[in-house]
Amino acid sequence: MDDFKEFLELPGTPQEQEWLKERLETLSVWESYALAAVSMGYPPEKAANAINSILNLPGCTLHPAGSYEDLGKYSLRGAANLPEDVLPYVDFDHIGQEFENKHTGLFINGYFVEYPKTTAEPSYSGKNVIFLEDSDWSVKLKLASPAVPEGVWLRLPGYDGKMAEESNEVVLALDELRVKSLEDCTLLEARCILPEAGDLMSQYSSISDLVRDGDNLGYLLGEQGQGEPHWLEKFAAALEYEDCRTLKFALDIAQNLHCYEWVPRDGIKEFAADHLRSCGVPEELIQSGDIDLKAYAEDLLETSGYMEANDESGYLIRNAQEFVREYTAQQQTQEDMTMQ
């Protein structure tokens, strides 16, 4: 946070400054690089600007290139293979400059930070910062090494779509810690956006395993069942229904949501109406308003064994479909091998 302490001196409300302070405390190495470049390119004049810079970091892309020549070579990857003997005659420096013309950004610490491609509407309008949640993450880990005992933060999932251990988030954290692998690190602190995931530090003996699971959770939360309606509410209710206490069980539940029937709060009248139709009740009577569908639905859901979610977003029950325990089965296998 010391690298951005000037953000806390920008004019703004106490709530904005408190939000910045809390968010900067767990800024990952990847985010630090991106934020440094963005703030140099677009210096914030007030706290609201700094907040928007942080909120828009996922739109940045980091390319491993410390010069125009490096950027030129990097930008040609995946293109037609060039003969080895022509390489000395290729103006990679110019190619890198052309790349910058099309992808505005800034060089910093051996990387070219590409700014978001389009100027989005400000995520924060300058009002109600207390309701502005930091929610686009799954797991945050504070990792340390002999070279950096105070540790740095790693934020999952990675923004680049790479395998967890190859993502820029992990690569930059390892570089900052001056170690070669996650297993060379010490885990100082672990946070999960799901309270139901429990104490992560007591669940994992391998940091690599924790990073992979945290990354997988991030993508599941991001996809939300390929846009399935009420996916997040259903997932939260399923975690509650199963009394989930570990990250691996949470991952299993996320991949088995088809094993639960969900009735959203705004759909309980239709639930009651469908039941009445199945019993042969005339549609005219169902639609007449002479039946209190809401009260009937609440009674019907309770007697049918549905659980009402704590946040009152809806009702959930387990169905008869097979629940496949991929992640918890892996954990059990690892534990069995350890005991042998």
Side-chain angles (χ1 to χ4, degrees):
M1 187 174 68
D2 289 344
D3 293 337
F4 303 101
K5 58 185 178 182
E6 68 274 9
F7 281 18
L8 304 179
E9 300 170 359
L10 293 170
T13 67
Q15 292 84 3
E16 289 172 339
Q17 290 166 347
E18 182 62 26
W19 189 95
L20 282 170
K21 181 176 182 295
E22 291 182 6
R23 183 65 178 83
L24 291 171
E25 281 180 350
T26 60
L27 204 66
S28 73
V29 179
W30 185 98
E31 291 176 311
S32 297
Y33 277 44
L35 185 57
V38 169
S39 59
M40 281 190 277
Y42 305 95
E45 298 178 354
K46 53 186 179 179
N49 300 143
I51 290 172
N52 273 305
S53 292
I54 293 173
L55 293 175
N56 290 327
L57 290 182
C60 295
T61 304
L62 267 66
H63 305 290
S67 66
Y68 285 118
E69 182 179 358
D70 291 341
L71 189 59
K73 292 177 180 178
Y74 173 84
S75 67
L76 282 181
R77 78 194 196 289
N81 292 330
L82 293 172
E84 192 73 24
D85 58 1
V86 79
L87 294 181
Y89 303 96
V90 177
D91 191 347
F92 287 110
D93 192 85
H94 180 260
I95 294 173
Q97 293 178 40
E98 288 295 309
F99 183 91
E100 184 192 33
N101 290 337
K102 298 177 182 178
H103 308 272
T104 306
L106 193 71
F107 289 104
I108 184 168
N109 292 353
Y111 282 81
F112 179 77
V113 179
E114 180 184 342
Y115 300 144
K117 292 180 175 59
T118 57
T119 303
E121 288 295 318
S123 302
Y124 171 58
S125 63
K127 299 179 181 179
N128 298 324
V129 71
I130 59 174
F131 298 113
L132 195 60
E133 295 184 7
D134 175 25
S135 59
D136 64 340
W137 59 283
S138 55
V139 166
K140 294 181 183 180
L141 305 177
K142 192 172 188 179
L143 305 176
S145 68
V148 189
E150 67 275 14
V152 299
W153 282 95
L154 172 67
R155 181 184 174 100
L156 299 169
Y159 292 119
D160 48 23
K162 299 178 183 177
M163 296 291 290
E165 291 165 282
E166 299 174 359
S167 70
N168 283 338
E169 274 281 359
V170 172
V171 170
L172 287 172
L174 296 181
D175 285 348
E176 193 77 8
L177 293 168
R178 300 197 281 282
V179 294
K180 294 184 178 180
S181 77
L182 289 166
E183 298 309 320
D184 294 329
C185 304
T186 300
L187 182 60
L188 298 181
E189 189 176 342
R191 303 180 186 181
C192 185
I193 199 166
L194 302 178
E196 297 87 352
D199 179 9
L200 299 183
M201 295 186 68
S202 67
Q203 297 170 34
Y204 290 85
S205 58
S206 166
I207 296 177
S208 298
D209 191 18
L210 174 53
V211 166
R212 284 191 291 269
D213 284 356
D215 202 56
N216 287 333
L217 176 63
Y219 284 108
L220 287 169
L221 291 173
E223 291 176 354
Q224 296 197 16
Q226 304 295 330
E228 178 186 335
H230 302 287
W231 187 92
L232 201 56
E233 292 95 331
K234 183 179 180 181
F235 179 42
L239 293 171
E240 179 187 343
Y241 183 89
E242 298 289 359
D243 193 27
C244 178
R245 291 292 181 271
T246 69
L247 176 53
K248 287 189 180 294
F249 193 24
L251 287 166
D252 277 340
I253 292 171
Q255 296 196 137
N256 285 274
L257 284 187
H258 59 280
C259 295
Y260 304 89
E261 301 302 325
W262 171 252
V263 181
R265 167 63 63 180
D266 60 6
I268 63 172
K269 287 185 178 181
E270 190 60 27
F271 175 82
D274 286 342
H275 176 75
L276 292 172
R277 292 185 187 105
S278 70
C279 296
V281 177
E283 189 69 25
E284 183 180 359
L285 178 57
I286 294 174
Q287 300 296 334
S288 67
D290 293 327
I291 301 176
D292 187 342
L293 293 176
K294 180 177 180 295
Y296 177 60
E298 290 173 344
D299 183 59
L300 184 62
L301 287 162
E302 182 179 353
T303 57
S304 299
Y306 279 79
M307 177 205 77
E308 183 178 12
N310 276 337
D311 62 2
E312 300 182 350
S313 58
Y315 297 79
L316 181 125
I317 194 172
R318 182 81 158 77
N319 61 33
Q321 295 194 56
E322 181 185 4
F323 189 105
V324 179
R325 295 177 175 269
E326 176 185 350
Y327 288 92
T328 48
Q330 290 174 357
Q331 182 180 32
Q332 186 61 54
T333 300
Q334 292 171 355
E335 291 176 354
D336 291 343
M337 293 176 63
T338 301
M339 293 176 63
Q340 292 177 358

